[in-house]
mmCIF file of all heavy atoms in Angstrom:
data_model
loop_
_atom_site.group_PDB
_atom_site.id
_atom_site.type_symbol
_atom_site.label_atom_id
_atom_site.label_comp_id
_atom_site.label_asym_id
_atom_site.label_seq_id
_atom_site.Cartn_x
_atom_site.Cartn_y
_atom_site.Cartn_z
ATOM 1 N N SER G 1 -49.854 -10.540 28.948
ATOM 2 C CA SER G 1 -50.043 -11.650 28.039
ATOM 3 C C SER G 1 -49.937 -11.131 26.612
ATOM 4 O O SER G 1 -49.967 -9.925 26.377
ATOM 5 C CB SER G 1 -51.395 -12.336 28.250
ATOM 6 O OG SER G 1 -52.465 -11.446 28.009
ATOM 7 N N GLY G 2 -49.807 -12.041 25.649
ATOM 8 C CA GLY G 2 -49.807 -11.675 24.244
ATOM 9 C C GLY G 2 -48.459 -11.689 23.568
ATOM 10 O O GLY G 2 -48.376 -11.475 22.350
ATOM 11 N N GLY G 3 -47.392 -11.946 24.301
ATOM 12 C CA GLY G 3 -46.068 -12.007 23.699
ATOM 13 C C GLY G 3 -45.914 -13.248 22.837
ATOM 14 O O GLY G 3 -46.729 -14.166 22.877
ATOM 15 N N GLY G 4 -44.861 -13.258 22.044
ATOM 16 C CA GLY G 4 -44.603 -14.393 21.178
ATOM 17 C C GLY G 4 -43.564 -14.074 20.136
ATOM 18 O O GLY G 4 -42.828 -13.097 20.242
ATOM 19 N N LEU G 5 -43.521 -14.920 19.111
ATOM 20 C CA LEU G 5 -42.575 -14.778 18.008
ATOM 21 C C LEU G 5 -43.280 -14.203 16.788
ATOM 22 O O LEU G 5 -44.342 -14.693 16.393
ATOM 23 C CB LEU G 5 -41.955 -16.142 17.672
ATOM 24 C CG LEU G 5 -41.016 -16.209 16.471
ATOM 25 C CD1 LEU G 5 -39.777 -15.361 16.726
ATOM 26 C CD2 LEU G 5 -40.642 -17.657 16.189
ATOM 27 N N GLU G 6 -42.691 -13.163 16.195
ATOM 28 C CA GLU G 6 -43.263 -12.535 15.015
ATOM 29 C C GLU G 6 -42.145 -12.114 14.075
ATOM 30 O O GLU G 6 -41.032 -11.831 14.516
ATOM 31 C CB GLU G 6 -44.106 -11.326 15.415
ATOM 32 C CG GLU G 6 -44.862 -10.661 14.266
ATOM 33 C CD GLU G 6 -45.789 -11.619 13.558
ATOM 34 O OE1 GLU G 6 -46.912 -11.848 14.062
ATOM 35 O OE2 GLU G 6 -45.402 -12.131 12.496
ATOM 36 N N GLN G 7 -42.437 -12.085 12.788
ATOM 37 C CA GLN G 7 -41.468 -11.653 11.805
ATOM 38 C C GLN G 7 -41.441 -10.131 11.707
ATOM 39 O O GLN G 7 -42.416 -9.454 12.022
ATOM 40 C CB GLN G 7 -41.781 -12.237 10.428
ATOM 41 C CG GLN G 7 -41.628 -13.737 10.339
ATOM 42 C CD GLN G 7 -41.644 -14.233 8.922
ATOM 43 O OE1 GLN G 7 -40.715 -14.898 8.468
ATOM 44 N NE2 GLN G 7 -42.691 -13.902 8.191
ATOM 45 N N ALA G 8 -40.310 -9.599 11.269
ATOM 46 C CA ALA G 8 -40.197 -8.159 11.051
ATOM 47 C C ALA G 8 -41.307 -7.678 10.128
ATOM 48 O O ALA G 8 -41.608 -8.319 9.123
ATOM 49 C CB ALA G 8 -38.830 -7.822 10.476
ATOM 50 N N GLY G 9 -41.914 -6.547 10.492
ATOM 51 C CA GLY G 9 -43.032 -6.009 9.740
ATOM 52 C C GLY G 9 -44.385 -6.482 10.219
ATOM 53 O O GLY G 9 -45.415 -5.924 9.809
ATOM 54 N N GLY G 10 -44.409 -7.469 11.088
ATOM 55 C CA GLY G 10 -45.650 -8.009 11.615
ATOM 56 C C GLY G 10 -46.167 -7.244 12.811
ATOM 57 O O GLY G 10 -45.644 -6.187 13.172
ATOM 58 N N SER G 11 -47.206 -7.800 13.453
ATOM 59 C CA SER G 11 -47.868 -7.133 14.565
ATOM 60 C C SER G 11 -48.125 -8.090 15.715
ATOM 61 O O SER G 11 -48.309 -9.295 15.520
ATOM 62 C CB SER G 11 -49.210 -6.539 14.116
ATOM 63 O OG SER G 11 -49.056 -5.567 13.104
ATOM 64 N N LEU G 12 -48.148 -7.542 16.916
ATOM 65 C CA LEU G 12 -48.543 -8.243 18.123
ATOM 66 C C LEU G 12 -49.325 -7.282 19.001
ATOM 67 O O LEU G 12 -49.102 -6.069 18.939
ATOM 68 C CB LEU G 12 -47.341 -8.766 18.907
ATOM 69 C CG LEU G 12 -46.573 -9.969 18.367
ATOM 70 C CD1 LEU G 12 -45.304 -10.180 19.185
ATOM 71 C CD2 LEU G 12 -47.453 -11.214 18.403
ATOM 72 N N ARG G 13 -50.213 -7.812 19.830
ATOM 73 C CA ARG G 13 -50.923 -6.994 20.805
ATOM 74 C C ARG G 13 -50.710 -7.563 22.193
ATOM 75 O O ARG G 13 -51.071 -8.715 22.463
ATOM 76 C CB ARG G 13 -52.430 -6.918 20.517
ATOM 77 C CG ARG G 13 -53.137 -5.891 21.428
ATOM 78 C CD ARG G 13 -54.614 -5.781 21.166
ATOM 79 N NE ARG G 13 -55.359 -6.920 21.689
ATOM 80 C CZ ARG G 13 -56.671 -6.923 21.917
ATOM 81 N NH1 ARG G 13 -57.378 -5.834 21.668
ATOM 82 N NH2 ARG G 13 -57.262 -8.011 22.363
ATOM 83 N N LEU G 14 -50.124 -6.771 23.067
ATOM 84 C CA LEU G 14 -49.917 -7.159 24.447
ATOM 85 C C LEU G 14 -51.068 -6.662 25.319
ATOM 86 O O LEU G 14 -51.626 -5.598 25.072
ATOM 87 C CB LEU G 14 -48.604 -6.588 24.983
ATOM 88 C CG LEU G 14 -47.332 -6.888 24.186
ATOM 89 C CD1 LEU G 14 -46.122 -6.308 24.907
ATOM 90 C CD2 LEU G 14 -47.173 -8.377 23.956
ATOM 91 N N SER G 15 -51.399 -7.443 26.342
ATOM 92 C CA SER G 15 -52.450 -7.067 27.285
ATOM 93 C C SER G 15 -51.892 -7.040 28.694
ATOM 94 O O SER G 15 -51.031 -7.851 29.042
ATOM 95 C CB SER G 15 -53.614 -8.065 27.227
ATOM 96 O OG SER G 15 -54.215 -8.076 25.951
ATOM 97 N N CYS G 16 -52.391 -6.111 29.493
ATOM 98 C CA CYS G 16 -52.028 -6.009 30.903
ATOM 99 C C CYS G 16 -53.320 -5.956 31.705
ATOM 100 O O CYS G 16 -54.028 -4.941 31.677
ATOM 101 C CB CYS G 16 -51.179 -4.773 31.154
ATOM 102 S SG CYS G 16 -50.825 -4.456 32.899
ATOM 103 N N ALA G 17 -53.626 -7.032 32.395
ATOM 104 C CA ALA G 17 -54.829 -7.094 33.228
ATOM 105 C C ALA G 17 -54.467 -6.677 34.642
ATOM 106 O O ALA G 17 -53.568 -7.251 35.252
ATOM 107 C CB ALA G 17 -55.404 -8.505 33.221
ATOM 108 N N ALA G 18 -55.192 -5.694 35.167
ATOM 109 C CA ALA G 18 -54.889 -5.129 36.477
ATOM 110 C C ALA G 18 -55.955 -5.498 37.498
ATOM 111 O O ALA G 18 -57.149 -5.314 37.254
ATOM 112 C CB ALA G 18 -54.774 -3.608 36.391
ATOM 113 N N SER G 19 -55.522 -6.014 38.633
ATOM 114 C CA SER G 19 -56.417 -6.293 39.748
ATOM 115 C C SER G 19 -56.289 -5.149 40.745
ATOM 116 O O SER G 19 -55.383 -5.140 41.572
ATOM 117 C CB SER G 19 -56.076 -7.627 40.407
ATOM 118 O OG SER G 19 -56.256 -8.704 39.504
ATOM 119 N N VAL G 20 -57.178 -4.172 40.620
ATOM 120 C CA VAL G 20 -57.146 -2.977 41.461
ATOM 121 C C VAL G 20 -58.556 -2.589 41.851
ATOM 122 O O VAL G 20 -59.526 -2.962 41.182
ATOM 123 C CB VAL G 20 -56.466 -1.787 40.754
ATOM 124 C CG1 VAL G 20 -55.000 -2.080 40.481
ATOM 125 C CG2 VAL G 20 -57.198 -1.459 39.458
ATOM 126 N N ARG G 21 -58.682 -1.811 42.913
ATOM 127 C CA ARG G 21 -59.999 -1.352 43.357
ATOM 128 C C ARG G 21 -60.516 -0.192 42.519
ATOM 129 O O ARG G 21 -61.685 -0.178 42.126
ATOM 130 C CB ARG G 21 -59.949 -0.944 44.829
ATOM 131 C CG ARG G 21 -59.782 -2.091 45.801
ATOM 132 C CD ARG G 21 -59.864 -1.589 47.234
ATOM 133 N NE ARG G 21 -59.818 -2.666 48.204
ATOM 134 C CZ ARG G 21 -59.893 -2.491 49.509
ATOM 135 N NH1 ARG G 21 -60.018 -1.265 50.014
ATOM 136 N NH2 ARG G 21 -59.843 -3.550 50.321
ATOM 137 N N THR G 22 -59.645 0.786 42.257
ATOM 138 C CA THR G 22 -60.033 1.977 41.503
ATOM 139 C C THR G 22 -59.073 2.170 40.335
ATOM 140 O O THR G 22 -58.081 2.880 40.439
ATOM 141 C CB THR G 22 -60.042 3.215 42.410
ATOM 142 O OG1 THR G 22 -58.784 3.328 43.094
ATOM 143 C CG2 THR G 22 -61.153 3.107 43.446
ATOM 144 N N PHE G 23 -59.404 1.542 39.216
ATOM 145 C CA PHE G 23 -58.562 1.556 38.028
ATOM 146 C C PHE G 23 -58.280 2.972 37.538
ATOM 147 O O PHE G 23 -57.177 3.278 37.092
ATOM 148 C CB PHE G 23 -59.244 0.729 36.938
ATOM 149 C CG PHE G 23 -58.381 0.385 35.754
ATOM 150 C CD1 PHE G 23 -57.094 -0.095 35.918
ATOM 151 C CD2 PHE G 23 -58.873 0.528 34.468
ATOM 152 C CE1 PHE G 23 -56.304 -0.425 34.831
ATOM 153 C CE2 PHE G 23 -58.108 0.193 33.368
ATOM 154 C CZ PHE G 23 -56.818 -0.282 33.549
ATOM 155 N N SER G 24 -59.274 3.856 37.653
ATOM 156 C CA SER G 24 -59.151 5.210 37.124
ATOM 157 C C SER G 24 -58.148 6.065 37.890
ATOM 158 O O SER G 24 -57.796 7.153 37.420
ATOM 159 C CB SER G 24 -60.522 5.905 37.119
ATOM 160 O OG SER G 24 -61.030 6.024 38.431
#
């Protein structure tokens, strides 16, 4: 999640949510 439209020089933050038993 977190994608979108941004102008050059700007910022975005993407997230990746994981459904797992042992994340580490």
